[in-house]
Each structure stands twice: as C-alpha cells, then as structure tokens.
Amino acid sequence: MMKKLLLAMVLSLAAGAALADPVEGTWKTKPDDNGDFGYVQIKPCGPAFCGTLIKAFDSTGAEKASDNIGKKIVWDMVAYPDGLYDDGQIWSPDRNKTYNSDMQLSGDSLKVRGCVLGICRDGGTWKRVK
C-alpha cells in the first residue's frame, strides 16, 4: 500500500512539473537607470502570473541589500498563445512607477514593456537564470 501511495505522489509531482508554464522561473532584469538589476521569480498567482524581486545587484554585479526584495514587480499577467503575456502591471523600482505591461517569451528571453497613457517604455529583455 505504501509503495502505491509513494508512486502516486511521484507521478503527481512529475505531471505538475510537466505542466508548468514556460514563463515560470527566475529572470535577470535589464539594468535600470542606475545600472542595478535584480532577479525576479515568476510563478502562478491565481489565474495569471506574478513576479517577485528575490535578489538585487549593483552595477558591478555584487549582490546588495534592497528594501524592494520581496515586493511584487509583475502581476496579473495572463498567458496567451505564442508566448505572449498581457493585461498585467509592472512596477519600476528605479522610477517608483507602475505601468500597464506585456511580456513576450522566446526561449530563455523575456521581452518586457510597460505603458502609461499610450506612452510605452521598453523594459528590455530579461534573461532566464539557470
């Protein structure tokens, strides 16, 4: 009986991993206006995807303390066909502004963009952290 339960648990975990959305994971952001960058972990939040800052780095690449660690950077991103994530918001810590946002996934690259009142800011291309 115990072997069957263990097998069922392993198969359940494997099936869940196989169904993970390709955007899930940790992403290195483009350097901001100060040259600083961060690692954002993207995972499901309700029916959409959210990203939380989990590490911050200065312009030399040294890890640094930041009051922004643990804060949501991306939220309410809805997955659409062909790697598009849209209808969400993105917060830019260096400018302390929130933008309507979309993201385009292509392999290990995530192109991020934020817009307000029809004016868009290129958030650059984030790279998957392996």
Side-chain angles (χ1 to χ4, degrees):
M1 179 71 158
M2 187 60 110
K3 286 182 181 178
K4 286 183 181 180
L5 179 60
L6 183 58
L7 179 61
M9 288 173 56
V10 169
L11 291 175
S12 174
L13 289 173
L19 298 176
D21 192 275
V23 79
E24 290 181 51
T26 303
W27 296 88
K28 177 183 174 185
T29 67
K30 171 187 156 192
D32 66 15
D33 294 343
N34 303 313
D36 299 342
F37 63 94
Y39 284 179
V40 175
Q41 183 178 43
I42 296 180
K43 59 185 178 180
C45 58
F49 291 91
C50 296
T52 303
L53 183 68
I54 60 170
K55 286 187 180 183
F57 301 88
D58 66 20
S59 59
T60 69
E63 190 170 351
K64 70 176 201 167
S66 171
D67 292 339
N68 296 323
I69 293 174
K71 290 187 179 178
K72 278 201 169 123
I73 302 293
V74 175
W75 59 94
D76 294 337
M77 286 293 184
V78 177
Y80 290 93
D82 300 323
L84 175 65
Y85 298 82
D86 202 354
D87 304 325
Q89 303 279 308
I90 189 165
W91 176 58
S92 176
D94 62 324
R95 296 182 180 196
N96 194 25
K97 293 194 185 286
T98 300
Y99 302 89
N100 294 322
S101 183
D102 60 63
M103 306 183 305
Q104 182 66 52
L105 178 66
S106 178
D108 288 334
S109 296
L110 187 64
K111 186 166 176 51
V112 179
R113 183 175 71 145
C115 303
V116 64
L117 299 174
I119 300 170
C120 297
R121 177 181 180 212
D122 179 10
T125 300
W126 296 3
K127 297 294 182 183
R128 187 181 302 275
V129 177
K130 301 209 179 199

